[in-house]
Amino acid sequence: MTVKELLDSGRFEVVNIGEEVEREITTPFCCDLLSIAMGRAPAGCAWVTVMGNMNTLAVAALADAACIIMAEGALLDDVAMKKAKDQEITVLRTEDPIFEAALWIYQQMHD
């Protein structure tokens, strides 16, 4: 599954479209502790979190995540939104719980 396929699925609200929409998603990744995500998020992951601050975007860039999905209705704050646009990071959002959002992605990848 590519980031574009995730964008086109209609499952998630688009917050920001980044530059690498044709990038292949390697796996969903769930974590809200930024220090853990920094060391353990696999490159190319669809990172599902509720952390919507600037540090989340920095960790996503450092970990080379394919996209960020804000779960449980979480939003990016204004500073983070500007950073997502400036760094062209794809960010989506959903009202779904973290696990359910990640599970849906996993199921789509393995159908």
Side-chain angles (χ1 to χ4, degrees):
M1 169 177 257
T2 65
V3 173
K4 182 169 182 358
E5 290 170 330
L6 198 59
L7 291 167
D8 292 345
S9 72
R11 176 78 183 210
F12 303 101
E13 178 185 332
V14 177
V15 175
N16 188 64
I17 297 178
E19 64 182 348
E20 296 184 310
V21 295
E22 295 301 329
R23 186 166 183 193
E24 195 73 29
I25 295 172
T26 58
T27 189
F29 177 75
C30 303
C31 187
D32 288 327
L33 190 56
L34 297 179
S35 60
I36 298 292
M38 191 176 348
R40 295 189 182 166
C45 70
W47 180 17
V48 187
T49 184
V50 296
M51 300 296 293
N53 60 44
M54 184 175 70
N55 293 335
T56 302
L57 295 166
V59 170
L62 181 67
D64 196 25
C67 63
I68 300 169
I69 299 168
M70 304 299 302
E72 303 191 29
L75 301 169
L76 291 179
D77 63 33
D78 292 339
V79 174
M81 186 63 180
K82 182 179 181 333
K83 185 173 182 118
K85 289 179 180 181
D86 291 347
Q87 293 191 346
E88 298 185 21
I89 297 171
T90 298
V91 181
L92 307 172
R93 70 178 299 272
T94 182
E95 294 293 327
D96 291 343
I98 292 170
F99 176 78
E100 289 179 18
L103 178 61
W104 185 85
I105 295 167
Y106 180 86
Q107 290 170 333
Q108 301 313 299
M109 293 174 68
H110 296 282
D111 275 350

